[in-house]
Every structure is written in C-alpha cells, then in structure tokens.
Amino acid sequence: MIEFKNVSKVYPNGTRGLNNVDLRIDDGEFVVVVGLSGAGKSTFLRSINRLHEVSEGEILINGESITKAGGSELYRIRRDIGMIFQNFNLVRRSSVMRNVLSGRVGYHSTMRMIFGLFPKKDKELAMQSLERVNMPEKAYMRADELSGGQQQRVSIARALAQEAKQVLADEPVASLDPMTTKQVMDDLARINKELNMTMIVNLHFIDVARKYATRIIGLKEGEVVFDGPVEEATDEV
Ligand code: ADP
Ligand code: ADP
C-alpha cells in the first residue's frame, strides 16, 4: 500500500512539481498516471521511492514512512519497490541474466555481483522471472543485443527477481512501437493479475491507459485533476 499525505514538491528553482497530493493506492491495483508533458507524472513516481525529497507532506509505503526513513530503513523499504524506466536502465554490456540478478543485489555483497557468485536459488529465481516475460532463451545474450521491447521485458524480469511488491514504471513504452507496446503492457497486466503486484505506470496516451488500468490518476500542473475508475475517465484527463 502506498499513501500520499498532502505531498507537495517544489524544485529548487521554484517550479511546483506536485501540489498537495493526498491519495492511497492499495495492493494489487493497476494505476495509470496520465497528463501532458510537464504535468508532474515523473515527479509523482520519483517521490514514491524517494529518488528526490518532497517539500511537504509524507509518503508511506506498506505503512512505513519512506519520507522519514533513515539509511538502513530506506534501503529496506526500497527493496519492495521495483523500477522500470523509459530507456530500460540495463547494463548494456552485461548478460541478460546478470541484469536480472541485479534485482537481487540488495541481498548480496558487491563481491558477489562482481565475481558472479550467486546462490543457485537466485539463478533459479532469475530464470523463472525470465520465463514469466517469455525470454528464457535470451538469458545469456548481452543486453545490448536485444530489441527495445526485449530490453524492457528484461527490466520487468529484474523487478520480478527483486520480488517487488510495487512496481513504478516511468513511461515504459514511450520509445516502443505499437506492437511492442502491447507486448510490454500485456506482460505488466498479466504479472499484476498473477502475482497481485501493484503497478503504477506513467503513460502519455489515454487510449493505452484505458486498456490496462483499473484506476486512472490525471495530473495537471502538479495537481490531481482526476482520480477514479477507467470508465469515468474522459479523454481530457
Ligand atoms: P511529466 O513527467 O508529467 O512530464 P515532470 O514531473 O517531469 O512532468 O515535471 C513537472 C514539472 O516540474 C514541470 O514543470 C517540470 O519542468 C518541472 N521539473 C521537473 N524536474 C525538474 C527539476 N529537476 N528542476 C526543476 N523543475 C523540474
Ligand atoms: P526495436 O525496434 O525493438 O528497437 P531493433 O531494431 O533494435 O528492434 O532489433 C530488432 C532485432 O534485431 C531484435 O530481435 C534484436 O534481438 C536484434 N538485434 C538488435 N541489435 C542487435 C545487436 N547489436 N546484435 C544482435 N542482434 C541485435
């Protein structure tokens, strides 16, 4: 569960990225955040796992304040939150397997990451994660040998291997063609249903949002201007 308690974010130059956002996202929801460029979608997502500090208010993750968390607490809370980015954020020269295993890096020392000393159990979990996105046969290819859509599915597998409870996806299909967009969104939807993993996805296009979301949050100039089920969302949100 994610709770925003009167959250505002003002950037150092005075721009208001979020204005008094107060809402709750329950486990298992598929939330799509829509809004024009500059509406605050990225600011909203980045606030959730504290990639930046908010200016006012508080955010709770599964009942714990990430806003007030100290070093080791912050680390622990973030373990539950998977991230998916527009440009995939994979280590391009590493294998797919290594990239998926990096989702478990919080559980391991850097030495393990460098020398590839992962317990068998982790490798099995990574392989199962790749199977869920239909990519097991790509495990030992280099990440940069894959197409854009395939790379995005690797980053989904990385969140699965992390055993994230919530996944934040910032414009995950913005650089993909319509066919690939459908594959990636279908994967997210299937994982949301099968594993009850909460999805919070920023999207440009309301038509894609309609097809997948259980709930739409519309932002405009940092304010929530719509929050409700897909059926009630008009094309303006
Ligand atoms: P979206 O993701 O919907 O395109 P953003 O959250 O990126 O919107 O931006 C919301 C507002 O905050 C915009 O006016 C943007 O210019 C501003 N903004 C975003 N990041 C920064 C930053 N690092 N410094 C100053 N202003 C920013
Ligand atoms: P996309 O339109 O999804 O970005 P690409 O044009 O990047 O697709 O890739 C199309 C196909 O070519 C993919 O199946 C991918 O596996 C393969 N491919 C792309 N780049 C390379 C590469 N550097 N080495 C080997 N195969 C590649």
Side-chain angles (χ1 to χ4, degrees):
M1 186 168 64
I2 296 172
E3 288 168 279
F4 275 68
K5 293 186 179 286
N6 301 104
V7 174
S8 296
K9 166 70 183 173
V10 183
Y11 286 104
N13 67 0
T15 308
R16 200 164 264 274
L18 284 184
N19 194 18
N20 203 27
V21 174
D22 197 67
L23 53 81
R24 185 175 118 179
I25 296 170
D26 284 318
D27 292 344
E29 289 197 65
F30 196 123
V31 177
V32 174
V33 184
V34 296
L36 299 175
S37 180
K41 302 183 296 296
S42 294
T43 305
F44 179 81
L45 275 202
R46 288 201 302 260
S47 298
I48 294 175
N49 63 346
R50 206 168 129 189
L51 291 185
H52 58 204
E53 304 293 332
V54 298
S55 315
E56 283 166 51
E58 188 176 16
I59 296 171
L60 307 184
I61 312 288
N62 304 320
E64 289 187 278
S65 174
I66 191 164
T67 311
K68 293 182 179 154
S72 64
E73 272 175 289
L74 178 62
Y75 190 73
R76 183 172 46 73
I77 295 171
R78 278 196 183 135
R79 274 193 190 173
D80 286 343
I81 306 173
M83 285 292 292
I84 295 174
F85 301 91
Q86 173 176 348
N87 53 7
F88 325 127
N89 276 37
L90 301 178
V91 182
R92 297 181 58 84
R93 299 169 72 89
S94 284
S95 71
V96 164
M97 186 60 153
R98 191 57 84 82
N99 272 285
V100 174
L101 279 166
S102 75
R104 300 193 66 71
V105 78
Y107 299 78
H108 299 289
S109 69
T110 313
M111 294 300 273
R112 275 193 167 150
M113 201 54 202
I114 292 169
F115 294 111
L117 302 172
F118 281 92
K120 188 155 166 271
K121 181 177 145 286
D122 282 9
K123 289 196 175 155
E124 283 168 4
L125 183 63
M127 197 50 102
Q128 282 166 14
S129 303
L130 282 169
E131 279 161 9
R132 266 195 198 276
V133 294
N134 299 311
M135 301 256 299
E137 76 286 359
K138 306 278 194 225
Y140 294 99
M141 280 176 79
R142 253 171 57 161
D144 60 7
E145 291 174 330
L146 303 178
S147 73
Q150 290 167 340
Q151 289 189 48
Q152 198 56 299
R153 279 143 72 202
V154 172
S155 77
I156 296 171
R158 181 177 55 192
L160 287 171
Q162 185 188 336
E163 297 180 297
K165 294 196 179 76
Q166 286 96 7
V167 172
L168 313 178
D170 198 356
E171 302 276 2
V173 294
S175 63
L176 304 178
D177 60 50
M179 273 280 286
T180 317
T181 293
K182 184 178 181 316
Q183 279 178 358
V184 167
M185 292 302 297
D186 283 349
D187 275 334
L188 291 176
R190 188 162 38 76
I191 289 161
N192 166 255
K193 286 211 184 67
E194 288 176 2
L195 303 179
N196 201 41
M197 207 180 258
T198 309
M199 298 288 169
I200 306 174
V201 183
N202 285 355
L203 288 179
H204 260 81
F205 298 112
I206 185 82
D207 53 335
V208 180
R210 276 186 195 292
K211 187 156 180 261
Y212 293 95
T214 56
R215 169 178 175 188
I216 291 184
I217 294 175
L219 293 177
K220 189 178 177 186
E221 294 171 8
E223 303 213 10
V224 176
V225 291
F226 178 86
D227 183 2
V230 183
E231 308 81 61
E232 290 172 19
T234 64
D235 284 345
E236 267 99 77
V237 305

